[in-house]
């Protein structure tokens, strides 16, 4: 007994050692802001702070012109005052900067609020995106593969990537807690649909993408060759590959950022071709669902036939049967635990909603709720829009956001 207790204690300590420590890298906010990057400024001022403020204002002006040309395909942007630009700019991203006593030299990015800037640009509505895709960034370096066992440069690159303008809905785990146990290099080689279903449900995703980075250092402090492969699905299917090279470790972050952008192009292209559809074998089907659906259709047909038989010339139109309840899967972004409770309460307040059950919770990602609604999915979509939600519909799934 003492030996068994010691073994159990040792296993518990081993598992704790695998999840303890500060591993997680939280992704940047993936809101819908427009981003303009690579704006270079070189300005002077009365002091270092004055020069920096002048540089940021110049970046806003240049960023607005660049954003206008990108959205309109050229032409001159309407002149906006600095106060007007302050109202539509949500953030300044510092890519590189050098600060002197009276000079500021930097490369900056500007984030424009989508709602406010979109009104001026004439952009309305939201673009439909893919189903939620779980990102498992595998990095090979020094002959070993890592995902979330340690903080890797590859994980940081995916965390830095702003996904707002992508057509792919990336679900990026933070890498903390149990992520290092659930998502590892061995998991991407497994084919078990049952195990994948459990993991995808945990993160509120429909399928998985695996961007693989293999870093080869020619010699210590020398060039680094990156070999990148885009894979997709529980069968780890190959999509595309490419290579990048930098002179030394100083350029590693820039190379990985460029690699993430290329991966986004690859996955977006696969989505456009129809090659990024979720695997149907990952959907848990109810064996009684088809039988219930057929029974319901038979009853509805019988009711319609009876109503038609009762109709006679000169009489009033028959009263249609009451709408039946449907179950709709609703995906909602939940950046924190409070957002889950808030979204559930908001859905329950919609007229016609009978019940709201949580299917999966992904704090910091997309949670899934099953809503029982009396009516049609189009009616539920319209009801949510009337309460201020932004709604995207695909099949029997609604994706909502504020």
């Amino acid at each position: 007994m003492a030996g068994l207790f010691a073994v159990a204690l040792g296993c518990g300590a081993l598992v704790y050692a695998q999840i303890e420590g500060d591993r997680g890298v939280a992704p940047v906010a993936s809101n819908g802001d427009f981003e303009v990057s690579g704006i270079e400024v070189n300005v002077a001022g009365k002091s270092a702070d004055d020069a920096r403020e002048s540089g940021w204002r110049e970046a806003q002006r240049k960023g607005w012109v660049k954003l206008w040309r990108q959205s309109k395909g050229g032409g001159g942007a309407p002149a906006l005052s600095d106060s007007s630009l302050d109202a539509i700019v949500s953030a300044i991203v510092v890519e590189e900067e050098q600060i002197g006593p009276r000079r500021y030299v930097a490369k900056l990015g500007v984030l424009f609020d989508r709602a406010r800037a979109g009104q001026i640009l004439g952009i309305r509505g939201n673009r439909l995106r893919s189903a939620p895709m779980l990102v498992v960034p595998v990095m090979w370096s020094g002959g070993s593969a890592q995902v979330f066992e340690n903080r890797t440069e590859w994980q940081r690159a995916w965390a830095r990537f702003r996904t707002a303008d992508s057509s792919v809905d990336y679900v990026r785990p933070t890498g903390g807690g149990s992520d290092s146990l659930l998502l590892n290099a061995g998991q991407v080689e497994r084919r078990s649909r049952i195990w994948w279903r459990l993991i995808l449900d945990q993160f509120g995703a429909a399928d998985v993408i695996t961007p693989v980075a293999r870093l080869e250092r020619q010699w210590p402090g020398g060039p680094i060759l990156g070999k990148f492969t885009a894979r997709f699905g529980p069968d780890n299917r190959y999509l595309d590959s490419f290579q990048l090279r930098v002179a030394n470790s100083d350029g590693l972050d820039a190379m990985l950022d460029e690699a993430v952008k290329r991966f986004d192009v690859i996955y977006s292209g696969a989505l456009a071709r129809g090659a990024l559809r979720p695997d149907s074998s990952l959907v848990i089907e109810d064996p009684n669902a088809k039988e219930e659906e057929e029974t319901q259709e038979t009853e509805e047909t019988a009711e319609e036939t009876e109503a038609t038989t009762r109709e006679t010339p000169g009489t009033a139109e028959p009263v249609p049967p009451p709408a039946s309840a449907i179950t709709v899967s609703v995906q909602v972004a939940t950046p924190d635990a409070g957002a889950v409770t808030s979204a559930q309460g908001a859905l329950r307040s919609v007229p016609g909603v009978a019940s709201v059950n949580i299917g999966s919770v992904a704090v910091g990602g997309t949670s899934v709720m099953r809503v029982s609604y009396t009516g049609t999915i189009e009616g539920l979509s319209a009801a949510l829009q009337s309460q201020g939600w932004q709604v995207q519909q695909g099949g029997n799934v609604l994706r909502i956001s504020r």
Side-chain angles (χ1 to χ4, degrees):
M1 291 295 293
L4 290 175
F5 178 77
V7 171
L9 184 63
C11 292
L14 178 61
V15 171
Y16 178 75
Q18 285 182 277
I19 65 175
E20 69 173 343
D22 190 13
R23 286 189 175 88
V25 179
V28 298
S30 298
N31 51 26
D33 289 347
F34 299 111
E35 180 178 9
V36 179
S37 59
I39 302 174
E40 298 182 354
V41 297
N42 186 343
V43 298
K46 299 177 181 179
S47 63
D49 291 338
D50 181 65
R52 169 183 265 187
E53 182 177 354
S54 299
W56 284 17
R57 289 198 176 278
E58 181 177 334
Q60 290 184 173
R61 292 190 288 267
K62 290 183 176 180
W64 170 244
V65 173
K66 189 173 181 180
L67 177 63
W68 178 273
R69 291 174 178 172
Q70 288 177 351
S71 61
K72 300 297 184 180
L80 297 180
S81 64
D82 287 337
S83 59
S84 298
L85 288 172
D86 289 340
I88 64 174
V89 171
S90 58
I92 299 292
V93 180
V94 178
E95 299 175 4
E96 300 174 9
E97 68 175 0
Q98 299 178 17
I99 305 175
R102 294 184 178 84
R103 182 166 291 277
Y104 182 72
V105 180
K107 180 184 292 185
L108 305 172
V110 183
L111 298 182
F112 292 90
D113 183 86
R114 178 174 289 270
R116 296 176 180 176
Q119 293 179 354
I120 305 174
L121 294 169
I123 298 176
R124 298 289 187 272
N126 293 326
R127 177 174 52 185
L128 289 177
R129 308 176 77 185
S130 72
M133 295 289 170
L134 180 65
V135 181
V136 184
V138 179
M139 187 186 80
W140 284 85
S141 181
S144 64
Q146 297 184 56
V147 181
F148 297 127
E149 293 82 355
N150 295 292
R151 285 183 173 179
T152 67
E153 294 86 351
W154 192 220
Q155 182 194 0
R156 290 190 179 96
W158 275 97
R160 289 192 298 267
F161 180 57
R162 297 187 179 274
T163 63
D165 293 329
S166 174
S167 59
V168 181
D169 184 4
Y170 297 106
V171 179
R172 296 174 291 177
T174 63
S178 61
D179 291 357
S180 59
L181 295 176
L182 295 174
L183 303 175
N184 49 56
Q187 173 59 33
V188 301
E189 300 295 336
R190 296 189 178 102
R191 301 293 180 263
S192 172
R193 295 313 196 255
I194 297 176
W195 186 239
W196 271 115
R197 287 171 182 170
L198 294 174
I199 291 180
L200 294 175
D201 186 66
Q202 177 73 21
F203 292 95
D207 213 321
V208 59
I209 59 175
T210 310
V212 182
R214 187 180 296 270
L215 304 183
E216 298 179 0
R217 290 173 168 82
Q218 306 301 306
W219 61 80
I224 301 176
L225 176 64
K227 299 180 180 179
F228 303 93
T229 306
R231 295 185 175 275
F232 161 67
D235 291 326
N236 206 23
R237 298 197 301 272
Y238 171 87
L239 290 178
D240 203 349
S241 62
F242 59 92
Q243 295 186 11
L244 297 174
R245 181 186 177 93
V246 290
N248 50 52
S249 298
D250 293 339
L252 179 60
D253 287 346
M255 180 182 74
L256 295 180
D257 288 341
E258 175 63 24
V260 172
K261 293 178 182 178
R262 293 202 185 186
F263 271 110
D264 182 57
V265 172
I266 292 173
Y267 288 123
S268 297
L271 177 65
R273 298 192 307 270
L276 206 67
R277 289 193 299 266
D279 194 321
S280 59
S281 65
L282 296 174
V283 179
I284 303 177
E285 297 182 353
D286 185 357
N288 299 322
K290 185 175 181 180
E291 181 179 352
E292 292 176 357
E293 183 178 352
E294 292 177 350
T295 303
Q296 182 179 355
E297 291 178 354
T298 303
E299 292 176 353
E300 291 177 354
T301 302
E303 291 175 357
E304 291 175 0
T305 303
E306 183 180 355
T308 303
T309 304
R310 291 198 305 265
E311 288 183 3
T312 57
T315 61
E317 291 291 333
V319 179
S324 59
I326 61 173
T327 301
V328 180
S329 178
V330 178
Q331 301 172 357
V332 55
T334 49
D336 51 47
V340 179
T341 305
S342 176
Q344 189 178 21
L347 287 171
R348 284 175 175 167
S349 66
V350 176
V353 171
S355 64
V356 179
N357 297 316
I358 297 178
S360 63
V361 176
V363 176
T366 301
S367 297
V368 180
M369 301 184 184
R370 291 188 293 272
V371 178
S372 178
Y373 177 73
T374 303
T376 64
I377 188 172
E378 291 77 12
L380 177 58
S381 176
L384 290 170
Q385 290 176 356
S386 67
Q387 295 197 0
W389 291 96
Q390 296 179 353
V391 183
Q392 299 176 355
Q393 179 179 342
N396 197 41
V397 177
L398 295 179
R399 182 176 178 86
I400 63 175
S401 60
R402 289 290 190 183

